[in-house]
Amino acid sequence: MPRTTAVRAYLLIIGRFLVVYLPTFAIIGAFRMSIARTVPVVIILTFALASVLMLIAARGNGPSMTAFGFRRSPPRFVAYSIALGAPLGLVAALLLNQFREPGPLAGLDIAPWLAFVYFGLAAPVQEEAIFRGLLQTGLAADLIAADRTSATANRIAVLVVAFLFAATHLFVGPLTAGCATVLGLLAGELRWRSESLFPAVCCHSLFNLAGLFIALPK
């Protein structure tokens, strides 16, 4: 029974991921949106769909919205996110520049201030709500129901969701996906240890902002 339930847990995380992203990209494909329009649409629609799934779970017997990470964080985890986010983002941007991988801004013709809004503020909130909120929380809870200890379930959830997060960046390039893996593992740990999404969002935002300062034309 535990094995069957664990398999179900992995199937559920894939299902949640698809429910969030498939309708969004179906709409984008149907309307043949440009890359510049695709970015805000993806951010808004995927965040909305993930929020709906979390609200549905919170109304049933699943975890509450607080359990999904919508709570205040102990200050030390915010300090960790500040100390680690920007330096890692700078290293990632320098590596992308060194190996001439175009990065997530390739082909995106938008004003620099919009890039900072989309990637420095909006995307960190959206992606952390999806990956560390909806997916990591759900997988950890399902694995605990499959007779895993809380620590084991959370470690597995951090790892699995970090790799899933990295997989969504593979279309940009392998180095970008590798950097996303590191960010995903760090954000997942911060989310788990603090029981809050805020340190993960803060770390993600600083990671992206530091990279934007290097990537954007001066």
Side-chain angles (χ1 to χ4, degrees):
M1 181 176 178
R3 181 179 300 175
T4 302
T5 308
V7 170
R8 180 175 177 272
Y10 296 120
L11 291 175
L12 282 172
I13 190 176
I14 294 172
R16 293 176 187 123
F17 176 83
L18 293 177
V19 167
V20 168
Y21 280 98
L22 276 185
T24 300
F25 284 99
I27 292 171
I28 289 167
F31 287 94
R32 298 181 180 179
M33 295 180 184
S34 65
I35 297 177
R37 290 185 178 179
T38 294
V39 172
V41 169
V42 169
I43 290 172
I44 293 169
L45 286 185
T46 56
F47 179 80
L49 288 169
S51 298
V52 168
L53 291 179
M54 287 185 281
L55 286 168
I56 291 172
R59 289 185 63 184
N61 296 321
S64 65
M65 292 302 288
T66 302
F68 281 110
F70 294 92
R71 63 169 74 186
R72 296 175 66 178
S73 167
R76 70 179 184 278
F77 292 104
V78 178
Y80 297 155
S81 70
I82 293 171
L84 296 171
L88 285 175
L90 287 172
V91 170
L94 291 171
L95 284 173
L96 290 173
N97 186 60
Q98 177 69 27
F99 290 94
R100 302 191 183 282
E101 188 167 294
L105 296 180
L108 187 60
D109 185 19
I110 59 174
W113 72 269
L114 266 182
F116 281 102
V117 171
Y118 288 163
F119 296 101
L121 301 174
V125 173
Q126 167 241 356
E127 290 185 323
E128 292 309 317
I130 295 168
F131 287 93
R132 259 57 69 175
L134 173 66
L135 300 181
Q136 184 173 315
T137 303
L139 180 56
D142 291 336
L143 289 173
I144 290 171
D147 289 345
R148 302 297 191 270
T149 65
S150 177
T152 299
N154 277 286
R155 289 190 182 101
I156 293 172
V158 168
L159 187 64
V160 170
V161 172
F163 282 119
L164 186 58
F165 178 65
T168 64
H169 292 77
L170 268 175
F171 74 96
V172 180
L175 185 55
T176 298
C179 294
T181 302
V182 174
L183 174 60
L185 290 171
L186 177 57
E189 279 291 319
L190 288 168
R191 159 71 182 100
W192 169 32
R193 303 290 182 177
S194 69
E195 300 184 346
S196 169
L197 280 175
F198 185 73
V201 171
C202 183
C203 181
H204 194 153
S205 180
L206 290 171
F207 183 96
N208 285 5
L209 287 170
L212 285 171
F213 278 113
I214 294 179
L216 288 173
K218 306 297 186 290

